[in-house]
Amino acid sequence: MQDINLTDLFVSLTGRLGLNYEFLATGYEAQIWRDGFITTLYLIALLIPVSLVAGLLFAAGLTSGRVWLSAPVRAFVEITRNTPTLVQLMFSFLVLNTFVSDLVGGAQNNPLSPFFWVVAVVGLHIAALHAEAIRAGIEAVPTSTVEAARGIGFSQLQILRYVEVPLALRASLPAIVNNLVNLVKLTTVGNAIAVSEITYASIMVWTQRDNVVSLMIVILLFFSLINIVVARVGLWVERRLAVPGYGL
């Protein structure tokens, strides 16, 4: 009862400002909108670790020194970062997903949902950007530091694990955090293939209520708040991983 009164109070107060949130008093539309927020948060929670792990693997491939490994990774990175994410998503969903459906005997047998394609495409797109940032960080590690590690008996794998990767990750953190901020914003491309994230849910509501301004204000505040949190956490991690005397 108390929740209903708070909702009515909110609708009444914002109504005096010319904003229309009357749909919050209806069960169906309010549920669609809440589910949109939750779906967006799920996407972000999945995409961040997916992009970081894939980015680290791509960076290892790029700096491996083995052409058979670095060449396909380089080709993927170039294609990914030079084409719009929305185009990649539409290609994956309309072409690759159709191909998978044909292989398994029809769309009814295809286990790959639109949600999966958003996670795969956006995750790998941001991973390609992470890979370039980490590769630059690895290449920025001073040769003298690597030689010193080799001089005390470190193997190539130990040098990579204990020297190059930690220093490279620290140097790459500002770029990685920027990529994660971009990742949060890119979750909205799911709208193009009917993934019911917050923008898709809002469109469903405002086509019935004609309250575009009211919903857009909330969406802008929602993404701004999430990205402020991502940036703050990134800054905290940068300070925690600071390397005294290394300039980072």
Side-chain angles (χ1 to χ4, degrees):
M1 187 64 184
Q2 186 178 6
D3 290 342
I4 294 175
N5 290 335
L6 287 174
T7 301
D8 291 342
L9 179 62
F10 175 77
V11 171
S12 175
L13 290 175
T14 52
R16 294 176 186 178
L17 300 174
L19 301 174
N20 179 4
Y21 295 105
E22 292 178 355
F23 71 95
L24 291 175
T26 69
Y28 178 66
E29 290 174 310
Q31 185 62 47
I32 289 176
W33 212 47
R34 283 194 293 270
D35 289 347
F37 281 107
I38 293 171
T39 301
T40 298
L41 292 175
Y42 275 151
L43 281 171
I44 294 169
L46 279 173
L47 282 167
I48 288 177
V50 166
S51 70
L52 290 173
V53 171
L56 194 57
L57 293 175
F58 288 163
L62 289 173
T63 58
S64 65
R66 296 175 173 84
V67 177
W68 61 269
L69 181 58
S70 62
V73 175
R74 169 55 60 193
F76 176 81
V77 169
E78 292 300 328
I79 292 173
T80 300
R81 72 177 183 175
N82 291 323
T83 53
T85 314
L86 181 59
V87 173
Q88 296 166 18
L89 180 63
M90 297 301 288
F91 176 84
S92 299
F93 186 67
L94 298 178
V95 179
L96 298 182
N97 193 54
T98 302
F99 180 70
V100 172
S101 294
D102 292 340
L103 280 180
V104 298
Q108 70 277 9
N109 299 321
N110 188 344
L112 305 181
S113 66
F115 187 92
F116 164 83
W117 286 111
V118 173
V119 173
V121 172
V122 175
L124 292 179
H125 179 89
I126 298 299
L129 304 181
H130 287 336
E132 283 295 76
I134 297 171
R135 178 195 58 78
I138 290 175
E139 292 179 352
V141 175
T143 304
S144 58
T145 303
V146 176
E147 291 299 327
R150 188 172 290 119
I152 61 176
F154 276 24
S155 66
Q156 188 58 40
L157 182 60
Q158 288 175 318
I159 291 173
L160 182 67
R161 179 179 177 184
Y162 296 114
V163 179
E164 290 181 321
V165 169
L167 291 176
L169 285 176
R170 179 61 186 83
S172 307
L173 266 177
I176 289 174
V177 172
N178 281 337
N179 294 338
L180 293 180
V181 168
N182 191 30
L183 176 150
V184 172
K185 294 182 286 187
L186 282 177
T187 58
T188 57
V189 298
N191 170 55
I193 57 173
V195 172
S196 56
E197 43 74 54
I198 186 55
T199 54
Y200 182 85
S202 297
I203 291 172
M204 296 289 287
V205 173
W206 75 47
T207 52
Q208 301 296 322
R209 296 276 180 171
D210 193 23
N211 56 348
V212 177
V213 174
S214 303
L215 297 188
M216 284 306 305
I217 289 173
V218 177
I219 293 173
L220 287 172
L221 292 176
F222 174 68
F223 281 107
S224 296
L225 177 62
I226 292 178
N227 274 333
I228 287 173
V229 172
V230 170
R232 289 293 180 184
V233 171
L235 184 61
W236 178 80
V237 173
E238 283 183 37
R239 290 173 177 168
R240 293 283 296 178
L241 298 182
V243 182
Y246 191 68
L248 295 172

